[in-house]
Every structure is written in structure tokens, then in C-alpha cells.
Amino acid sequence: MARPRKPLLSTDRIVETARVLVDSEGLPAVSTRRLAAELGVSGPSLYNHFRTKDEILEAVADSVSAQVDLSMFEDGREWRTALHDWAVSYRAALRDHPNIVPVLATGPGRRPAGLRLADAVYGAMVDAGWPPAQATSIGALMRYFIMGSALGSFAGGFVDDESAYDPTDYPHLGQAHLLAEQQEKIDERAFETGLTALLDGLVQQYEQVKRTVRGR
């Protein structure tokens, strides 16, 4: 009786296995030796697909970028709405894979999905009437805001020990020990509050841009 064949090693299998490792154990868990063991193959066979561990992490990062919805830039949504919906989708992808954020934070580099993301945002802003320089700034601003929100939880950074907040030293932190248990709600509300304020500010700038163009 023939033995069952092992699944063929592929780039997608390597990336998916590495992503699971990063999600569950963090970036230090990824090594070619560990990945080979998880995949049931010899270490050298990975080099047919990736030359280094860094290349694998780059591919994992790009696979997360590929999860971000870009349809709002193609279906006729007004630019402010499109930016809002894209930011929510982007943050959701990062929230699901927080351990890869430090790699994503270095920028898109040569990653195809990351470059498509940057191209979609920039193109939509230019098409909406933003000058190219300001469209670039908007892309950078949105990235700073979204990445920053994904690097850590504000609410989760407070310990749930009431004794840590002596009212003599911290008179305004009497309820801080309750923040951690409402972490998701507080962080989501903070993100939406900041995103709304950011976009409202851009709308004001946009009106100024339009007045300047009309005045020429």
C-alpha cells in the first residue's frame, strides 16, 4: 500500500505557517529550523523559496497587507468616506496580526500588496483633487495613525490592581484599574474618535485647497 504523500512545499504554505508562528509566539519564534520542523521538511528545502528568514517575514507582512480592503477606492465612495473605511479595514488586519506590525512599520519596501495599498490611497487622493504633495502627506499621516494604534493597547497598559493608583500620587486615576477589563471597547472608541478628528481636519484643509484652486 502506497504511503500518503506529504503536501508539496510551496511559498504559500511557508508564509501561512510562518504567520501562524508570528501570531502565536511572536517574531523571535520564526527561524528556518523551526519552520522546517513545522512543515515537516528539511531546512535547505526552504531556500528554494526564500533566501533568508527576513524574506519570509517580509512575505508574512505582505500577506497581512493583502487582507486590507481597497474596494472603497474603486467604487465611487467620496474620499473622506473611503479613507475612513480603509483605515478601519487596515486597523482590523493589524489587530488580527499585531506581532507583525514592527515589520510592516518599516514601510512597504518591495512588497507587492504594500505597494498596491500605497498606490490606491495616493491615487484616490490625487483623483479627488488633492495636490500630489498633500496626497503623499495624507498617506503618511494615515499610516502613522493606524500603525500607532496597532502597536499597543492604551487601556491594556493599565494594571487592574487598584492599589497601584494611590490617590495621593495620582488623584485623577481612581478608575484606572478598570480600564483593562474594557480594553477592546476603549481602544475602539479611541481609534474612532481620533480617526474622525483627523478626517474632519483634512476636510477643512480640502476646502482651503479648493478655494485656492478656484482663486487662480
Side-chain angles (χ1 to χ4, degrees), residues 133-155:
Q134 286 176 279
T136 300
S137 295
I138 290 170
L141 171 64
M142 296 298 292
R143 183 169 167 274
Y144 296 152
F145 177 70
I146 298 165
M147 287 286 179
S149 74
L151 284 173
S153 165
F154 171 81

Side-chain angles (χ1 to χ4, degrees), residues 72-73 76-88 121 124-125 128-130 138 142 191-207:
M72 65 285 296
F73 298 119
R77 267 174 265 189
E78 182 265 341
W79 70 265
R80 184 196 187 282
T81 301
L83 272 184
H84 174 277
D85 296 347
W86 166 73
V88 170
V121 175
M125 295 306 100
W130 285 98
I138 290 170
M142 296 298 292
F191 178 78
E192 190 62 40
T193 298
L195 181 58
T196 298
L198 187 158
L199 294 175
D200 286 349
L202 287 177
V203 167
Q204 292 182 20
Q205 291 187 34
Y206 185 67
E207 293 303 318

Side-chain angles (χ1 to χ4, degrees), residues 155-165 176-181:
F158 291 85
V159 299
D160 60 359
D161 179 3
E162 188 172 4
S163 67
Y165 308 101
H177 64 287
L178 302 175
L179 292 175
E181 67 184 35

